[in-house]
């Protein structure tokens, strides 16, 4: 009844491209990459900020839950409307509002795909640094809501470091503008960075002012093999203690290499048990110099082979292998728990040794790879959910991994966020006082509790 009155109230409101209410049409909008599902009562496609304001105001009046949705690639279930209500889809708010190329600033709507943004600004010799592997099919709005990033966060940062301002609609339907269009600014509280990573629970982002960077003149990719993951980890520490900051520094463990051997054609030495992918960017001379400087640092204990990729084809083949790893995991086990923990760089050797021991003890494959330069590892526990014993052991491993991460001064999520799946664990990292303050912020932004309810907090 509530939803019926809500939809009636919105009849005639301009700026809504489509309403879906038939369960068969709404079904696909109830699921995301978490594979959790809940059917929404309605799916709305706004085309303007004003329409979003009207929808939020109607949701507040009729107490209808509202879940924003980019393209549903998020992993912790953030876009799943667990209490039904409305899913607000940004497919038709995907314009580039204005580019100020000489100021290195672009203003965009939230439904713009990250990949489409990159293509557009590349013509001006610029790029937006956040580069999740899913960039061709995830939105800027989703990237901001999860603070999603990719390999190049190492040198250039995440959306938090690459977003100057936002326009968002709060839980009362008010339009709020935050931030600046300049490279510096400290007027009032930093609501931009508060909204980024808030997973659609504090406000609905309707516009973003993004900071762009100049495309590098030259990129060199180094592929380096080691005899053990500990040897590779020590090389990472040596590189990050040097004067050279790679644009990206990715690591793959022996399980990842076994997968690559099985499913992809990539030549690698037989003894290799770990691989680093290192990207160096700058002027032509600068990138070459950086590669020469790093080579002896990479060739320490356990070193097996170094290959320098310079042609575009060679480089994209290497990155294709790295990007294919996550989807390939689904081919070898029916289920995976995919975590994206972060630990201080100096603790990588201790952590990877811990995971190997855990994997042997519980007889489960645990495959780790990812943005090792940030200490951000995708730890994948592979198991069969239909096998009760395996499921139980997978949960034991997950709990042990989280405890170890926190004991090593790490954090439970580097880029995926908390959403639905990780909310039970948030209290392990944040104190009750911190959680209480966050909840009171949530209440201030969203007094009716309609924005993505049931997420983040246990
Ligand atoms: C194959 C694959 C590879 C991936 N690789 C990476 C990676 O390398 N790095 C990484 O960080 N992530 C990665 N991801 C996860 C995912 O792509 C990112 O989290 C992405 O930012 C989600 O964008 P989306 O448009 O799909 O958002 P959705 O999944 O639709 O939504 C994500 C969250 O954002 C909220 N939201 C969406 N739009 C708005 C808005 N306008 N205002 C407020 N809240 C909003 C939603 O409510 C939800 O809580 C990967 C996913 C897949 C499937």
């Amino acid at each position: 009844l509530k939803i019926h009155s809500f939809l009636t109230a919105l009849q005639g409101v301009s700026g809504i491209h489509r309403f879906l209410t038939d369960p068969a049409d709404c079904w696909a909008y109830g699921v995301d990459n978490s594979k959790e599902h809940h059917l929404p009562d309605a799916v709305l496609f706004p085309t303007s900020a004003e329409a979003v304001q009207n929808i939020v105001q109607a949701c507040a009046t009729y107490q209808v839950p509202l879940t924003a949705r980019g393209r549903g690639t998020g992993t912790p279930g953030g876009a799943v409307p667990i209490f039904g209500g409305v899913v607000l889809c940004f497919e038709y708010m995907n314009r580039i509002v204005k580019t100020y190329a000489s100021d290195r600033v672009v203003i965009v709507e939230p439904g713009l795909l990250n990949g489409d943004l990159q293509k557009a600004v590349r013509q001006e010799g610029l790029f937006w640094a956040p580069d999740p592997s899913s960039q061709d099919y995830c939105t800027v709005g989703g990237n901001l809501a999860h603070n999603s990033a990719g390999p190049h966060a190492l040198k250039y940062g995440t959306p938090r470091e690459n977003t100057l301002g936002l326009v968002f609609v709060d839980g009362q339907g008010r339009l709020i503008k935050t931030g600046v269009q300049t490279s510096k600014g400290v007027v009032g509280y930093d609501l931009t960075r508060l909204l980024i990573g808030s997973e659609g629970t504090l406000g609905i982002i309707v516009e973003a002012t993004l900071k762009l960077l100049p495309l590098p003149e030259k990129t060199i990719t180094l592929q380096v093999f080691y005899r053990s993951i500990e040897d590779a980890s020590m090389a990472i520490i040596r590189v990050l203690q040097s004067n050279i900051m790679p644009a990206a520094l990715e690591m793959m463990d022996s399980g990842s290499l076994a997968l690559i051997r099985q499913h992809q054609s990539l030549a690698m030495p037989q003894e290799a048990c770990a691989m680093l992918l290192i990207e160096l960017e700058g002027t032509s001379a600068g990138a070459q110099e950086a590669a020469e400087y790093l080579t002896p640092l990479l060739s320490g204990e356990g070193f097996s082979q170094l290959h320098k990729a310079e042609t575009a084809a060679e480089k994209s083949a290497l990155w294709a292998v790295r990007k294919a790893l996550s989807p390939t995991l689904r081919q070898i086990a029916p289920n995976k728990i995919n975590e994206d923990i972060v630990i201080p760089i100096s603790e990588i050797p201790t952590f990877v040794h811990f995971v190997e021991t855990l994997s042997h003890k519980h007889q489960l494959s645990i495959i780790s790879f990812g943005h090792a330069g940030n200490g951000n590892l995708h730890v994948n526990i592979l198991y069969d959910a239909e096998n009760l014993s395996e499921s139980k052991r997978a949960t034991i491993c997950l709990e042990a991994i989280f405890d170890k991460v926190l004991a090593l001064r790490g954090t439970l999520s580097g880029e995926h966020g908390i959403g639905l799946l990780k909310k039970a664990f948030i209290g392990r990292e944040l104190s009750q006082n911190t959680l209480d303050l966050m909840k009171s912020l949530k209440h201030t932004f969203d007094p009716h509790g309609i924005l993505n309810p049931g997420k983040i907090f246990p």
Side-chain angles (χ1 to χ4, degrees):
L1 264 181
K2 259 184 349 190
I3 193 82
H4 184 73
S5 314
F6 161 81
L7 290 169
T8 309
L10 284 179
Q11 292 300 327
V13 167
S14 63
I16 303 176
H17 179 79
R18 263 199 307 164
F19 284 71
L20 303 179
T21 49
D22 184 328
D25 295 331
C26 292
W27 197 94
Y29 295 91
V31 69
D32 68 5
N33 190 43
S34 68
K35 313 288 180 250
E36 298 289 318
H37 184 263
H38 198 290
L39 189 67
D41 295 296
V43 182
L44 306 186
F45 299 81
T47 57
S48 71
E50 202 185 335
V52 175
Q53 285 184 270
N54 284 324
I55 294 167
V56 172
Q57 278 158 8
C59 284
T61 306
Y62 295 97
Q63 279 294 298
V64 172
L66 185 152
T67 305
R69 181 183 177 91
R71 290 298 175 99
T73 68
T75 57
V80 179
I82 53 168
F83 297 119
V86 167
V87 165
L88 199 59
C89 253
F90 283 97
E91 286 171 36
Y92 297 94
M93 280 182 74
N94 61 351
R95 288 160 289 221
I96 293 184
V97 178
K98 179 107 183 139
T99 308
Y100 297 97
S102 34
D103 297 326
R104 296 184 187 166
V105 164
V106 66
I107 301 176
V108 304
E109 290 184 329
L112 181 67
L113 295 183
N114 178 308
D116 288 346
L117 166 65
Q118 308 293 2
K119 271 181 223 140
V121 297
R122 193 171 297 142
Q123 291 167 11
E124 312 276 357
L126 299 166
F127 71 104
W128 190 47
D131 61 340
S133 311
S134 50
Q135 66 187 157
D136 287 335
Y137 39 92
C138 66
T139 64
V140 171
N143 297 168
L144 295 169
H146 277 326
N147 197 35
S148 309
H152 295 89
L154 178 60
K155 183 171 182 181
Y156 305 113
T158 67
R160 284 202 170 119
E161 288 78 40
N162 291 283
T163 305
L164 299 172
L166 297 173
V167 181
F168 72 90
V169 176
D170 76 357
Q172 298 182 71
R174 294 180 302 186
L175 198 67
I176 314 278
K177 199 168 183 301
T178 74
V180 290
Q181 291 192 12
T182 51
S183 61
K184 287 181 86 176
V186 61
V187 177
Y189 296 143
D190 189 350
L191 297 181
T192 307
R193 282 167 63 96
L194 175 60
L195 254 284
I196 297 175
S198 66
E199 306 191 19
T201 62
L202 297 181
I204 305 297
I205 297 165
V206 291
E207 191 179 281
T209 301
L210 308 176
K211 175 176 129 184
L212 301 173
L213 295 169
L215 283 167
E217 185 183 295
K218 174 89 179 166
T219 303
I220 294 177
T221 306
L222 303 177
Q223 179 195 31
V224 199
F225 292 102
Y226 294 89
R227 289 194 178 82
S228 78
I229 193 90
E230 284 84 2
D231 295 326
S233 309
M234 295 313 292
I236 294 171
I237 294 173
R238 289 195 297 276
V239 168
L240 293 178
Q241 279 175 346
S242 79
N243 283 322
I244 301 291
M245 177 52 84
L249 201 172
E250 300 284 299
M251 182 170 80
M252 275 145 264
D253 71 354
S254 57
S256 314
L257 296 191
L259 266 185
I260 294 170
R261 284 185 175 105
Q262 249 175 294
H263 295 275
Q264 321 270 337
S265 58
L266 181 76
M268 63 178 88
Q270 235 180 0
E271 74 276 13
C273 284
M275 177 173 112
L276 298 184
L277 261 188
I278 300 172
E279 201 158 88
L280 302 161
E281 291 184 345
T283 59
S284 288
Q288 290 292 359
E289 203 180 302
E292 280 159 30
Y293 181 93
L294 286 188
T295 301
L297 296 180
L298 290 165
S299 319
E301 175 133 11
F303 168 82
S304 165
Q305 202 177 88
L306 181 148
H307 175 67
K308 190 157 102 176
E310 277 189 82
T311 67
E314 259 188 309
K315 276 182 286 196
S316 61
L318 286 183
W319 281 108
V321 167
R322 159 67 186 88
K323 288 184 180 185
L325 263 177
S326 189
T328 308
L329 289 172
R330 294 217 185 263
Q331 295 173 16
I332 58 164
N335 303 90
K336 65 170 178 170
I337 299 176
N338 170 13
E339 293 306 332
D340 77 312
I341 58 88
V342 194
I343 38 165
I345 305 298
S346 59
E347 301 290 5
I348 292 180
T350 308
F351 180 73
V352 291
H353 179 69
F354 173 81
V355 172
E356 274 176 359
T357 312
L358 200 66
S359 163
H360 288 137
K361 182 174 167 196
H362 293 283
Q363 292 295 296
L364 284 180
S365 288
I366 307 181
I367 290 184
S368 303
F369 58 87
H371 320 306
N374 287 112
N376 184 192
L377 296 181
H378 295 298
V379 180
N380 292 271
I381 306 170
L382 305 178
Y383 71 108
D384 178 356
E386 307 230 315
N387 179 327
L388 216 65
S389 158
E390 277 197 16
S391 283
K392 227 167 145 182
R393 281 180 279 138
T395 309
I396 292 171
C397 289
L398 176 68
E399 304 238 351
I401 287 169
F402 279 167
D403 286 344
K404 188 69 179 175
V405 164
L406 294 175
L408 294 176
R409 301 175 291 124
T411 180
L412 300 184
S413 175
E415 55 184 27
H416 288 169
I418 299 298
L420 188 60
L421 299 188
K422 262 192 292 219
K423 63 181 188 172
F425 298 101
I426 194 171
R428 292 188 188 204
E429 179 166 336
L430 303 181
S431 72
Q432 194 54 49
N433 284 346
T434 309
L435 282 170
D436 287 346
L437 182 60
M438 286 185 180
K439 282 185 194 165
S440 60
L441 279 172
K442 160 83 175 153
H443 185 72
T444 302
F445 278 73
D446 177 26
H448 306 289
I450 53 168
L451 299 182
N452 212 359
K455 306 292 166 58
I456 298 183
F457 301 108

